[in-house]
Amino acid sequence: MLSRIADILVPAVGRLSVTTDPGTALAPGSILAANHTSMADPAIVIAALRRLGAEPVIMATAGLWRVPLLGRALLREGHIPVHRKDHRAAAALDGAVEALKEGRMLLIYAEGGLPRRRDAAEAAPEAFRSGLARLVERTGAPVVPVGQAGARRVTSGSTAKQLLGLATAPLRRPDLHVHVGTPLELTGDHTARTALARSAVTTAWRTAAAQLREPSALTA
């Protein structure tokens, strides 16, 4: 349901385009690792993935499960709440492992949160947390790097600015782009795996941002 809703709503707030590396295939049981820049980007990424035939399980902040209607939908569809800095945090990893073993694709935001910047500009992904590397260690699942750009043109900055951005997006119709990179096998210890994943997601983000002529990607 979330994928269908995103596929309807995202085109109403912006112009979404999607590209992939040559020969990229989204296999069952894959981990999709995306950069996180805005409250809007999960919907953008989900809509892009649906165009490629993928409807993944999503690991997301547990606060969303407290939102009426949305919370019930998330629970019904098997998405995974992440309780940060809580004794229940380990349960999220266990749930992700089970989803991957069942052959479902899993969307994860390895940065673990949104950037604190107030501007609407693009920037490379921030440091990754260890959850992605631990998932790979337990499952051996391939990692598909996903880069998105343009979400900050929809919502960014203070709460008031984000609400204003969302309200005016259907009029402004900002360009949005998602790029899906080549799946990779993460090897080495946690540090090496995390660094490799961040590098691949950064490359995918740079490709997406360059499509939008973002200075941060064009000068990198």
Side-chain angles (χ1 to χ4, degrees):
M1 185 188 76
L2 290 182
S3 293
R4 292 195 300 272
I5 291 174
D7 201 27
I8 294 169
L9 292 182
V10 169
V13 300
R15 293 182 289 266
L16 175 62
S17 54
V18 185
T19 55
T20 67
D21 282 350
T24 293
L26 300 178
S30 298
I31 301 171
L32 309 172
N35 62 311
H36 198 17
T37 63
S38 163
M39 292 293 290
D41 68 61
I44 293 166
V45 170
I46 293 168
L49 291 173
R50 190 166 195 259
R51 293 187 184 183
L52 300 176
E55 297 185 356
V57 172
I58 306 160
M59 295 185 74
T61 180
L64 295 176
W65 273 252
R66 295 193 293 270
V67 178
L69 299 180
L70 175 61
R72 287 200 294 272
L74 291 169
L75 181 64
R76 182 177 63 248
E77 296 181 18
H79 300 291
I80 302 168
V82 179
H83 299 269
R84 296 189 179 95
K85 299 179 181 179
D86 187 293
H87 68 279
R88 292 170 292 179
L93 201 64
D94 292 339
V97 169
E98 288 304 312
L100 290 168
K101 287 182 177 178
E102 291 170 2
R104 301 191 70 178
M105 284 178 271
L106 178 80
L107 175 60
I108 183 173
Y109 290 94
E111 293 161 272
L114 290 168
R116 296 184 180 275
R117 295 181 293 108
R118 295 282 183 166
D119 60 276
E122 290 291 327
E126 297 185 348
F128 278 16
R129 299 189 181 185
S130 63
L132 175 57
R134 286 184 285 143
L135 263 180
V136 172
E137 183 178 67
R138 290 180 60 177
T139 64
V143 174
V144 181
V146 179
Q148 62 77 27
R152 291 185 70 79
R153 300 177 180 182
V154 180
T155 58
S156 60
S158 65
T159 300
K161 186 179 177 182
Q162 290 189 56
L163 291 173
L164 180 62
L166 187 60
T168 60
L171 298 175
R172 295 183 289 111
R173 305 279 299 154
D175 289 324
L176 315 166
H177 193 85
V178 174
H179 181 78
V180 180
T182 303
L184 66 152
E185 303 289 336
L186 298 187
T187 58
D189 59 18
H190 281 186
T191 300
R193 287 173 173 167
T194 300
L196 182 59
R198 181 169 180 253
S199 177
V201 173
T202 298
T203 298
W205 159 79
R206 187 170 290 118
T207 300
Q211 290 282 336
L212 303 186
R213 308 298 296 174
E214 281 282 347
S216 57
L218 296 174
T219 60

